Amino acid sequence: MVMNRGVQLIQKPASPHTGIGRYVAELERGLADRAVESVRIPLRNPMPRFVISAARRAGYDLEAFFGSYPLRSQARAGYLTHLTSQTLGALLLTQRLPRPVVVTVHDILPYLLRKNPSLSVYQTSAQRLMDVFAMRGLKRADRLITDSHYTKSTLIDTFDIREDRITVVHLGVDSQRFRPAAVPAAFRARHNVPNDRPYVLFVGSEDPRKNLGLLFEAFARVRQDVPDAMLLKVGAAAFDVQRRANLRLCADLGIAGAVRFFDDVPEDQLPTFYRLASVLAFPSLYEGFGFPVLEALASGTPVVAADASSIPELVGGAATLVDGTSVDAFAAALVETLRSEAGDAQARVSQAATFSWSRTIDCTLAAYANAEASYDAKRSAGNSTRAAFSQRADR
């Protein structure tokens, strides 16, 4: 794909191990492999240091806030501008960015769930206001990229954005990292996960939409049929209140001793957790993409997931999908999976292999080219119109 411009990637500050951090890193690598110039553009924090320090003492992290909802960036002229996550759409209302502008929308779930008290993730009214602001900015992009058809449909239904302005580009899974392999004895000893019992694995945060409460209830029922089963929860909670609530629920259900929390798992150890698991449980009701599902499939691990949001388009027929609101259905599917043979691991690996980062880059380049062509055509039409008016005026 021939690009007429280089690409400037604007990213909110994030660890390279987060989904968005990984996405930007893969974009940079893929563009370099295809000899497309790319530069990463920093954001500008509009607040003086003393204001940031004072706010931090008061319990407010303004750097994180304006990292997610920026008002200014150091964007350069002459580049295609790629805003790599949806909240950066705020820039389209506060700054005249070099065109064309492409925005990747991973999901709009905070906005969609804003009126649901049990699922809303806004911590302050300012965060709620700025998210609405960012969502309005999306309409000004020359092209939107979404991680899934599910997210594309939410954009169309919620903001009435034309379908032909949105390109679905699925993300990828690293099949070199996530693949079937033996679990080293040293790993089992280090984490105290012997191979004499079945393990149910969950990977992710403790955001309410992840539906962990249902998983804990379902697991309590699983233990009635499979008494030696253990639940491994990998991933830190965003807020202490979430962890405290989950610990209380586990205690109330009588499964506290059978649930283990692993918060800070190094990236190089995550694939081994998938390999040792008997099944990945993924009850999340709202996902823009869902990396853990694909990573488990790539590792050959069976998956039981909620039949909701983007998950069906990722798993094809390689996972068990159930009603994510039914404790009975989820528990029954987990028990059946734990009691059965592992099934066709190769089918799971093959399904995950259809989601490659190479394909992600190729499809992204096609979206860039589309945005360039559309923008250049509009600019050419505008120049022609101005020239025609000028000729009439001269007469």
Side-chain angles (χ1 to χ4, degrees), residues 48-246:
R49 296 303 307 178
F50 76 89
V51 173
I52 293 171
S53 298
R56 185 176 291 114
R57 288 194 295 271
Y60 296 98
D61 189 343
L62 291 182
E63 286 186 308
F65 181 80
F66 286 111
S68 291
Y69 303 104
L71 302 180
R72 280 288 184 272
S73 73
Q74 298 180 34
R76 308 176 189 177
Y79 286 87
L80 178 147
T81 303
H82 185 175
L83 307 180
T84 57
S85 59
Q86 60 279 351
T87 60
L88 301 181
L91 286 171
L92 284 161
L93 298 179
T94 61
Q95 182 177 3
R96 189 179 180 87
L97 293 171
R99 297 280 178 168
V101 176
V102 175
V103 184
T104 294
V105 181
H106 301 284
D107 64 66
I108 58 168
L109 297 175
Y111 183 86
L112 287 179
L113 303 174
R114 69 194 185 282
K115 295 181 180 179
N116 186 327
S118 65
L119 295 178
S120 176
V121 296
Y122 297 131
Q123 299 298 303
T124 64
S125 56
Q127 189 181 30
R128 177 187 292 267
L129 177 64
M130 284 301 293
D131 201 56
V132 172
F133 194 62
M135 295 302 100
R136 290 179 179 175
L138 297 179
K139 294 185 177 182
R140 297 192 177 185
D142 295 291
R143 177 143 295 266
L144 299 174
I145 291 174
T146 63
D147 294 349
S148 61
H149 292 282
Y150 165 73
T151 296
K152 178 178 179 176
S153 69
T154 63
L155 284 173
I156 294 170
D157 295 343
T158 306
F159 301 121
D160 197 28
I161 296 174
R162 291 201 328 267
E163 182 176 2
D164 61 4
R165 292 185 55 216
I166 307 171
T167 300
V168 176
V169 179
H170 287 127
L171 305 183
V173 62
D174 186 346
S175 58
Q176 295 302 308
R177 289 184 61 223
F178 299 98
R179 56 186 175 82
V183 178
F187 182 93
R188 291 190 179 277
R190 183 185 314 126
H191 296 289
N192 190 24
V193 285
N195 61 1
D196 59 352
R197 59 197 321 170
Y199 293 98
V200 177
L201 176 69
F202 174 87
V203 176
S205 71
E206 295 174 34
D207 188 293
R209 67 182 171 86
K210 298 293 185 178
N211 206 17
L212 271 176
L214 177 135
L215 175 57
F216 291 137
E217 291 187 38
F219 183 69
R221 300 190 188 184
V222 168
R223 290 270 295 181
Q224 295 173 10
D225 293 304
V226 189
D228 60 343
M230 294 286 294
L231 174 59
L232 309 180
K233 194 276 171 184
V234 171
F239 304 102
D240 289 342
V241 64
Q242 296 171 346
R243 176 59 57 82
R244 290 195 298 269
N246 285 325

